[in-house]
Amino acid sequence: MLGLVVSLITVVVAQLSWRGWVSGMNAILRGEGIVRPLLSPPPELQPVASEVRARLRDLEDEYRRFQGMVTTWDPDRLRRCCTRSCAATR
């Protein structure tokens, strides 16, 4: 019984930690912070923030394809896709 209680507490703490981490990353991506709100992230976090943004775009594209949402291709969309693809291969 004690093992069940301990494992339940562990799962709850893990969920809360994950949610806090995700909300913290969202705040960083929005440019918010605890001490300096609404400013851009420090220069050392710029590569991480840009990589996370790129991964979020990839996940969104994958999700839309999975859901069967068909979008029309226009020159701007093709240019953005090629730019992201070329940047990801570097």
Side-chain angles (χ1 to χ4, degrees):
M1 184 68 175
L2 180 62
L4 181 65
V5 171
V6 170
S7 65
L8 181 63
I9 290 172
T10 303
V11 169
V12 169
V13 169
Q15 283 292 323
L16 292 175
S17 297
W18 176 253
R19 289 181 185 174
W21 186 85
V22 169
S23 66
M25 286 303 293
N26 284 332
I28 288 173
L29 292 175
R30 285 191 306 266
E32 299 173 0
I34 296 173
V35 178
R36 297 180 305 175
L38 302 175
L39 296 177
S40 64
E44 61 269 10
L45 290 181
Q46 287 291 349
V48 174
S50 63
E51 187 172 324
V52 169
R53 284 186 192 108
R55 297 297 171 240
L56 287 173
R57 281 192 300 268
D58 292 343
L59 285 173
E60 182 181 5
D61 287 344
E62 184 178 327
Y63 174 75
R64 289 183 186 209
R65 274 187 258 133
F66 178 74
Q67 293 297 321
M69 301 173 90
V70 178
T71 58
T72 58
W73 285 91
D74 57 17
D76 290 331
R77 181 174 169 87
L78 181 60
R79 189 176 303 114
R80 285 191 313 266
C81 180
C82 290
T83 302
R84 270 189 261 138
S85 177
C86 290
T89 59
R90 290 183 192 169

